[in-house]
Amino acid sequence: MTALGTHFRSDICVQANASEVRRASEWMAQHATEHGVPADQMGRLDLCLNEALANVIAHAYSGSENKPIRLTLEVCDCAQAAVTVTDEGPAFDMASAPLPERPQTLADAEPGGLGLMMIRSFSDDVAYRRIDGKNELTFRVHWG
């Protein structure tokens, strides 16, 4: 999302641990509600946020709980909202990484691996960039 047309922006920094995921969701929900994001779109953003944070915590930081994750929420007067998740982990383009193959049977299914698919399915678009040694993943929803 560009600054043009944006009428609200908020940032927060959370630590890479599971207890911070709830705080991140509450922060996003409060600001999104205050700035007119419809509840169904907010639900989509929250699901994507939770999946992105789980991936950063588990993979980018491999359990290092003191690492920062910066979150930015932007709400545009053009009926869209975006969340950007910024971490300092190894480069990983979640937006274009190949999705795991779907298991043919329940016996073949393994836990995890659905985060990428969920973020891509529940957002209207996903973008990634690596800048200054940091990953920036942005997912966006539209309404109206």
Side-chain angles (χ1 to χ4, degrees), residues 4 12 22 33 60 72 80 83 92 110 120-121 133 139 141:
L4 183 63
I12 188 175
R22 181 178 188 141
T33 299
T72 302
Q80 65 177 336
V83 173
F92 179 68
E110 293 182 16
R120 290 184 194 167
S121 296
F139 41 90
V141 297

Side-chain angles (χ1 to χ4, degrees), residues 53-137:
L53 289 173
N55 282 335
V56 170
I57 292 166
H59 303 293
Y61 290 151
S62 302
S64 295
E65 294 188 357
N66 295 324
K67 299 282 189 171
I69 304 171
R70 174 154 304 282
L71 306 174
T72 302
L73 170 67
E74 294 179 281
V75 180
C76 178
D77 55 9
C78 56
Q80 65 177 336
V83 173
T84 300
V85 178
T86 304
D87 69 77
E88 299 171 356
F92 179 68
D93 183 355
M94 188 182 293
S96 63
L99 295 174
E101 288 189 31
R102 289 187 144 188
Q104 297 300 312
T105 67
L106 188 56
D108 295 336
E110 293 182 16
L114 296 176
L116 294 176
M117 183 176 64
M118 291 178 73
I119 291 170
R120 290 184 194 167
S121 296
F122 283 88
S123 64
D124 291 319
D125 79 75
V126 181
Y128 169 84
R129 69 183 187 157
R130 180 86 176 169
I131 187 163
D132 297 330
K134 297 177 183 172
N135 296 301
E136 287 187 1
L137 176 71

Side-chain angles (χ1 to χ4, degrees), residues 21-73:
V21 174
R22 181 178 188 141
R23 185 168 77 97
S25 288
E26 290 171 351
W27 161 82
M28 194 269 313
Q30 175 190 349
H31 290 297
T33 299
E34 288 173 1
H35 295 281
V37 177
D40 56 336
Q41 305 308 321
M42 198 168 31
R44 293 170 61 205
L45 281 175
D46 190 52
L47 186 137
C48 293
L49 175 61
N50 279 268
E51 290 299 325
L53 289 173
N55 282 335
V56 170
I57 292 166
H59 303 293
Y61 290 151
S62 302
S64 295
E65 294 188 357
N66 295 324
K67 299 282 189 171
I69 304 171
R70 174 154 304 282
L71 306 174
T72 302
L73 170 67

Side-chain angles (χ1 to χ4, degrees), residues 4-23:
L4 183 63
T6 300
H7 70 268
F8 176 77
R9 178 184 168 127
S10 179
D11 297 284
I12 188 175
C13 189
V14 297
Q15 298 301 306
N17 66 63
S19 66
E20 291 280 88
V21 174
R22 181 178 188 141
R23 185 168 77 97

